[in-house]
PDB file of all heavy atoms in Angstrom:
ATOM      1  N   ARG U  41       6.094  -2.767  -7.097  1.00  0.00           N
ATOM      2  CA  ARG U  41       5.566  -4.028  -7.691  1.00  0.00           C
ATOM      3  C   ARG U  41       4.993  -4.986  -6.629  1.00  0.00           C
ATOM      4  O   ARG U  41       4.002  -5.585  -6.849  1.00  0.00           O
ATOM      5  CB  ARG U  41       6.636  -4.755  -8.514  1.00  0.00           C
ATOM      6  CG  ARG U  41       7.033  -4.018  -9.773  1.00  0.00           C
ATOM      7  CD  ARG U  41       8.147  -4.671 -10.451  1.00  0.00           C
ATOM      8  NE  ARG U  41       9.352  -4.479  -9.577  1.00  0.00           N
ATOM      9  CZ  ARG U  41      10.574  -4.707  -9.935  1.00  0.00           C
ATOM     10  NH1 ARG U  41      10.848  -5.206 -11.101  1.00  0.00           N
ATOM     11  NH2 ARG U  41      11.560  -4.490  -9.092  1.00  0.00           N
ATOM     12  N   ARG U  42       5.695  -5.003  -5.487  1.00  0.00           N
ATOM     13  CA  ARG U  42       5.179  -5.867  -4.375  1.00  0.00           C
ATOM     14  C   ARG U  42       3.873  -5.318  -3.828  1.00  0.00           C
ATOM     15  O   ARG U  42       2.953  -6.061  -3.496  1.00  0.00           O
ATOM     16  CB  ARG U  42       6.227  -5.953  -3.290  1.00  0.00           C
ATOM     17  CG  ARG U  42       5.849  -6.839  -2.174  1.00  0.00           C
ATOM     18  CD  ARG U  42       5.816  -8.283  -2.638  1.00  0.00           C
ATOM     19  NE  ARG U  42       5.520  -9.145  -1.501  1.00  0.00           N
ATOM     20  CZ  ARG U  42       4.800 -10.256  -1.550  1.00  0.00           C
ATOM     21  NH1 ARG U  42       4.307 -10.664  -2.712  1.00  0.00           N
ATOM     22  NH2 ARG U  42       4.605 -10.952  -0.479  1.00  0.00           N
ATOM     23  N   THR U  43       3.721  -3.986  -3.753  1.00  0.00           N
ATOM     24  CA  THR U  43       2.480  -3.378  -3.314  1.00  0.00           C
ATOM     25  C   THR U  43       1.334  -3.762  -4.246  1.00  0.00           C
ATOM     26  O   THR U  43       0.254  -4.119  -3.798  1.00  0.00           O
ATOM     27  CB  THR U  43       2.606  -1.864  -3.275  1.00  0.00           C
ATOM     28  OG1 THR U  43       3.667  -1.499  -2.385  1.00  0.00           O
ATOM     29  CG2 THR U  43       1.294  -1.206  -2.779  1.00  0.00           C
ATOM     30  N   VAL U  44       1.587  -3.766  -5.556  1.00  0.00           N
ATOM     31  CA  VAL U  44       0.555  -4.170  -6.544  1.00  0.00           C
ATOM     32  C   VAL U  44       0.196  -5.610  -6.350  1.00  0.00           C
ATOM     33  O   VAL U  44      -0.977  -5.998  -6.348  1.00  0.00           O
ATOM     34  CB  VAL U  44       1.036  -3.860  -7.961  1.00  0.00           C
ATOM     35  CG1 VAL U  44       0.126  -4.451  -8.989  1.00  0.00           C
ATOM     36  CG2 VAL U  44       1.200  -2.360  -8.171  1.00  0.00           C
ATOM     37  N   GLU U  45       1.208  -6.467  -6.166  1.00  0.00           N
ATOM     38  CA  GLU U  45       0.953  -7.902  -5.949  1.00  0.00           C
ATOM     39  C   GLU U  45       0.116  -8.120  -4.690  1.00  0.00           C
ATOM     40  O   GLU U  45      -0.819  -8.937  -4.732  1.00  0.00           O
ATOM     41  CB  GLU U  45       2.258  -8.674  -5.797  1.00  0.00           C
ATOM     42  CG  GLU U  45       3.085  -8.796  -7.078  1.00  0.00           C
ATOM     43  CD  GLU U  45       4.426  -9.414  -6.811  1.00  0.00           C
ATOM     44  OE1 GLU U  45       4.710  -9.897  -5.645  1.00  0.00           O
ATOM     45  OE2 GLU U  45       5.247  -9.475  -7.737  1.00  0.00           O
ATOM     46  N   LEU U  46       0.409  -7.441  -3.610  1.00  0.00           N
ATOM     47  CA  LEU U  46      -0.324  -7.590  -2.370  1.00  0.00           C
ATOM     48  C   LEU U  46      -1.759  -7.107  -2.561  1.00  0.00           C
ATOM     49  O   LEU U  46      -2.696  -7.789  -2.105  1.00  0.00           O
ATOM     50  CB  LEU U  46       0.339  -6.755  -1.279  1.00  0.00           C
ATOM     51  CG  LEU U  46       1.662  -7.316  -0.707  1.00  0.00           C
ATOM     52  CD1 LEU U  46       2.347  -6.275   0.153  1.00  0.00           C
ATOM     53  CD2 LEU U  46       1.416  -8.584   0.055  1.00  0.00           C
ATOM     54  N   ALA U  47      -1.939  -5.975  -3.217  1.00  0.00           N
ATOM     55  CA  ALA U  47      -3.266  -5.446  -3.439  1.00  0.00           C
ATOM     56  C   ALA U  47      -4.133  -6.401  -4.276  1.00  0.00           C
ATOM     57  O   ALA U  47      -5.295  -6.683  -3.950  1.00  0.00           O
ATOM     58  CB  ALA U  47      -3.211  -4.072  -4.137  1.00  0.00           C
ATOM     59  N   ARG U  48      -3.544  -6.985  -5.329  1.00  0.00           N
ATOM     60  CA  ARG U  48      -4.265  -7.927  -6.167  1.00  0.00           C
ATOM     61  C   ARG U  48      -4.615  -9.190  -5.362  1.00  0.00           C
ATOM     62  O   ARG U  48      -5.737  -9.725  -5.505  1.00  0.00           O
ATOM     63  CB  ARG U  48      -3.486  -8.287  -7.405  1.00  0.00           C
ATOM     64  CG  ARG U  48      -3.477  -7.154  -8.403  1.00  0.00           C
ATOM     65  CD  ARG U  48      -2.714  -7.567  -9.639  1.00  0.00           C
ATOM     66  NE  ARG U  48      -2.752  -6.469 -10.602  1.00  0.00           N
ATOM     67  CZ  ARG U  48      -1.843  -6.222 -11.530  1.00  0.00           C
ATOM     68  NH1 ARG U  48      -0.807  -7.071 -11.669  1.00  0.00           N
ATOM     69  NH2 ARG U  48      -1.960  -5.227 -12.339  1.00  0.00           N
ATOM     70  N   ALA U  49      -3.698  -9.670  -4.567  1.00  0.00           N
ATOM     71  CA  ALA U  49      -3.919 -10.876  -3.771  1.00  0.00           C
ATOM     72  C   ALA U  49      -5.070 -10.682  -2.775  1.00  0.00           C
ATOM     73  O   ALA U  49      -5.977 -11.498  -2.655  1.00  0.00           O
ATOM     74  CB  ALA U  49      -2.665 -11.324  -3.062  1.00  0.00           C
ATOM     75  N   PHE U  50      -5.013  -9.553  -2.076  1.00  0.00           N
ATOM     76  CA  PHE U  50      -6.060  -9.306  -1.049  1.00  0.00           C
ATOM     77  C   PHE U  50      -7.383  -8.994  -1.714  1.00  0.00           C
ATOM     78  O   PHE U  50      -8.443  -9.416  -1.220  1.00  0.00           O
ATOM     79  CB  PHE U  50      -5.649  -8.155  -0.134  1.00  0.00           C
ATOM     80  CG  PHE U  50      -4.613  -8.552   0.872  1.00  0.00           C
ATOM     81  CD1 PHE U  50      -3.358  -7.932   0.868  1.00  0.00           C
ATOM     82  CD2 PHE U  50      -4.851  -9.522   1.807  1.00  0.00           C
ATOM     83  CE1 PHE U  50      -2.391  -8.293   1.778  1.00  0.00           C
ATOM     84  CE2 PHE U  50      -3.924  -9.889   2.679  1.00  0.00           C
ATOM     85  CZ  PHE U  50      -2.652  -9.298   2.710  1.00  0.00           C
ATOM     86  N   ALA U  51      -7.367  -8.314  -2.848  1.00  0.00           N
ATOM     87  CA  ALA U  51      -8.648  -8.049  -3.539  1.00  0.00           C
ATOM     88  C   ALA U  51      -9.252  -9.378  -4.035  1.00  0.00           C
ATOM     89  O   ALA U  51     -10.498  -9.540  -3.973  1.00  0.00           O
ATOM     90  CB  ALA U  51      -8.416  -7.116  -4.725  1.00  0.00           C
ATOM     91  N   GLY U  52      -8.409 -10.293  -4.487  1.00  0.00           N
ATOM     92  CA  GLY U  52      -8.929 -11.611  -4.911  1.00  0.00           C
ATOM     93  C   GLY U  52      -9.542 -12.404  -3.760  1.00  0.00           C
ATOM     94  O   GLY U  52     -10.527 -13.115  -3.947  1.00  0.00           O
ATOM     95  N   MET U  53      -8.939 -12.283  -2.570  1.00  0.00           N
ATOM     96  CA  MET U  53      -9.520 -12.967  -1.397  1.00  0.00           C
ATOM     97  C   MET U  53     -10.786 -12.376  -0.937  1.00  0.00           C
ATOM     98  O   MET U  53     -11.639 -13.009  -0.312  1.00  0.00           O
ATOM     99  CB  MET U  53      -8.471 -12.983  -0.256  1.00  0.00           C
ATOM    100  CG  MET U  53      -7.292 -13.840  -0.552  1.00  0.00           C
ATOM    101  SD  MET U  53      -6.112 -14.088   0.819  1.00  0.00           S
ATOM    102  CE  MET U  53      -6.082 -12.566   1.663  1.00  0.00           C
ATOM    103  N   ALA U  54     -11.000 -11.066  -1.226  1.00  0.00           N
ATOM    104  CA  ALA U  54     -12.186 -10.353  -0.743  1.00  0.00           C
ATOM    105  C   ALA U  54     -13.436 -10.640  -1.564  1.00  0.00           C
ATOM    106  O   ALA U  54     -14.542 -10.313  -1.191  1.00  0.00           O
ATOM    107  CB  ALA U  54     -11.928  -8.844  -0.716  1.00  0.00           C
TER     108      ALA U  54
END
Side-chain angles (χ1 to χ4, degrees):
R41 289 176 293 192
R42 184 67 176 144
T43 302
V44 171
E45 290 174 6
L46 288 167
R48 286 183 179 153
F50 285 118
M53 292 188 323

